[in-house]
Amino acid sequence: HGVKEAQTAIESIQEEGFDIDLIELRSLKPLDMETIKKSLVRTNKMAILDESTKSGGVGATISAQVSEELFDLLDAPVNRLCMGDAPVPYAESMEKAVVKRGSDLIEGVFDLCSGKY
């Protein structure tokens, strides 16, 4: 679901003049650090759209590994767009309120790149 949300958000981000890479990770073990490095060499920024919680989530793992191995390529802190540290609600209407969407990615990338939001 996160990849689909990101794909729909990319067009809006590019319309604002930002060049963006979408990296769809297939696994964490092994984590494709070479692809991430290629993107960071080009962009120097990273936003992670993650459906898990902020603490102990997939985004935290990726962010930590990037910070440890590729810190010198970053111009800004990694922007993790994820749920707060709370249980995921069962009701679909409530889940939509806490799981990050493409609109959150647009806002996060704009904030990361320009401080527009």
Side-chain angles (χ1 to χ4, degrees):
H1 153 251
V3 173
K4 186 184 245 184
E5 290 286 330
Q7 288 170 331
T8 60
I10 284 179
E11 187 175 320
S12 296
I13 294 167
Q14 289 173 333
E15 286 174 0
E16 291 293 324
F18 296 112
D19 194 10
I20 184 171
D21 294 331
L22 172 60
I23 301 172
E24 180 182 356
L25 297 176
R26 297 289 181 168
S27 70
L28 285 176
K29 202 77 165 162
L31 181 58
D32 188 357
M33 291 299 286
E34 190 57 38
T35 298
I36 293 170
K37 182 178 182 178
K38 286 178 185 175
S39 180
L40 285 176
V41 164
R42 206 172 66 71
T43 64
N44 301 107
K45 293 177 178 50
M46 181 177 215
I48 300 171
L49 182 62
D50 179 12
E51 293 182 15
S52 56
T53 57
K54 190 163 189 126
S55 297
V58 172
T61 301
I62 296 167
S63 178
Q65 195 162 344
V66 166
S67 295
E68 290 169 1
E69 297 179 26
L70 303 172
F71 180 79
D72 291 339
L73 296 176
L74 294 168
D75 285 348
V78 174
N79 190 353
R80 290 190 295 139
L81 308 163
C82 51
M83 293 188 329
D85 289 328
V88 179
Y90 181 74
E92 185 178 341
S93 59
M94 293 177 70
E95 181 182 332
K96 286 180 180 180
V98 297
V99 174
K100 298 300 180 186
R101 305 286 179 192
S103 59
D104 298 302
L105 180 61
I106 293 168
E107 185 176 334
V109 169
F110 286 4
D111 184 45
L112 184 62
C113 294
S114 69
K116 187 172 182 174
Y117 282 89

